[in-house]
Amino acid sequence: MREILGRRRRLRLRRRARPAQLDAALTCATAWRWPVLPGVGLEAAGGRGGRGRGCACPDPECAVPGAHPFDPGLLAATTDERMVRWWWTNRPTAPILLATGGRAPCALSLPAVAAARALVELDRMGVRLGPVVATPTRWSLMVAPYSLERLGELLHAQDWVPSSLRFHGEGGYLVVPPSEVGAGQVRWERAPASDAPWLPDVGTVLDALVEASSGAPDGGSRLAY
C-alpha cells in the first residue's frame, strides 16, 4: 500500500511540475486543433561571449531571436498529441509556434503602442475581437482563417491601410503564450475561451482598424507607431 501511495504521489508531482509550454501546446493542438511546433528558442544565459541571450539558430544577426522555426521546419506543425508531447518533453522551454492559415487561425499585428490604442478604439466602436497575443514589441489580433486571395481582395478594396499592419496568413506562423523570445515574454492580452476560441472575420477587423487609424491631426495614421 505504501508503495502504491508513493507512486501516486510521484505521479501527481510530475503532473504539477509539467512545463507550462507543454500544457499550452497540448491545449492548442488537442483542444483547439491548432497545429503547433517548437520555435528555435534562445541561447542559454551568458551565450555568445556574455552578450546576452541571442537566438539559438546559427545566424548571429537573427532579426527575430527565438521566435521562428528552425528544426523542425514550419511544415512539421501538427495537432498530434504524441508528437507535441515528444517535442516539449525534450525541449521544455521551446517557444510555441502556431502555423497560421488553412483551418488554423490567422492574425493581423501592429506595434504594441498602436495596438493598445487600437483595442480601446475598437471596443468603443463595438467591434467584437477574438484572442489577442501580446509581446513587448507587437500585438497580434487573431482572426478566422483566410486565403491569400481573400486578403488580396480585401486590401484592394481599401483606399489605404496603416503601414504598420502585418498579416499572418497561409504559410505563416505566430508565437503564442507562454513563450519567451528575444523580444521578451509572450502573453495573452485577451485570452481565448477555454473550450472553442471564437475568431472574428478578417474583413471586419481590417475595416475597423482602417477606420480607427484614420483622422490623425496631421493627416497621417493614428496607428503608425
Side-chain angles (χ1 to χ4, degrees):
M1 178 62 72
R2 185 176 300 174
E3 183 180 349
I4 293 174
L5 291 175
R7 284 201 300 267
R8 288 178 178 174
R9 182 174 181 272
R10 288 193 296 271
L11 180 59
R12 287 196 299 268
L13 288 173
R14 283 198 298 270
R15 285 174 177 170
R16 285 201 294 267
R18 192 164 65 183
Q21 272 94 330
L22 175 55
D23 279 338
L26 286 171
T27 297
C28 288
T30 63
W32 300 338
R33 308 305 295 169
W34 295 356
V36 295
L37 75 158
V40 63
L42 300 171
E43 284 188 315
R48 306 204 179 186
R51 295 197 301 271
R53 300 184 69 188
C55 190
C57 77
D59 183 3
E61 305 298 328
C62 181
V64 285
H68 65 88
F70 181 65
D71 183 16
L74 185 59
L75 292 179
T78 184
T79 59
D80 182 76
E81 179 180 351
R82 290 175 299 176
M83 193 72 246
V84 170
R85 285 186 182 277
W86 188 87
W87 277 333
W88 272 277
T89 297
N90 286 278
R91 297 174 55 194
T93 62
I96 305 167
L97 302 187
L98 162 67
T100 54
R103 296 184 178 181
C106 296
L108 294 79
S109 69
L110 301 103
V113 174
R117 292 199 298 264
L119 262 60
V120 172
E121 185 65 14
L122 267 56
D123 285 343
R124 186 192 65 78
M125 295 164 61
V127 178
R128 183 185 178 192
L129 295 175
V132 178
V133 177
T135 75
T137 56
R138 291 190 77 84
W139 291 11
S140 299
L141 285 60
M142 300 180 88
V143 297
Y146 60 78
S147 66
L148 295 179
E149 290 77 14
R150 171 93 195 287
L151 178 61
E153 292 170 358
L154 290 171
L155 293 176
H156 182 73
Q158 301 286 348
D159 293 328
W160 169 88
V161 296
S163 59
S164 58
L165 269 181
R166 293 180 188 168
F167 299 90
H168 308 261
E170 287 185 24
Y173 61 90
L174 193 66
V175 184
V176 297
S179 306
E180 182 183 0
V181 295
Q185 192 68 38
V186 183
R187 61 179 178 84
W188 292 112
E189 174 65 22
R190 297 195 179 178
S194 59
D195 47 1
W198 178 84
L199 300 167
D201 180 75
V202 61
T204 301
V205 176
L206 178 60
D207 287 345
L209 286 173
V210 170
E211 181 179 346
S213 68
S214 61
D218 60 358
S221 169
R222 288 186 291 171
L223 306 183
Y225 303 102

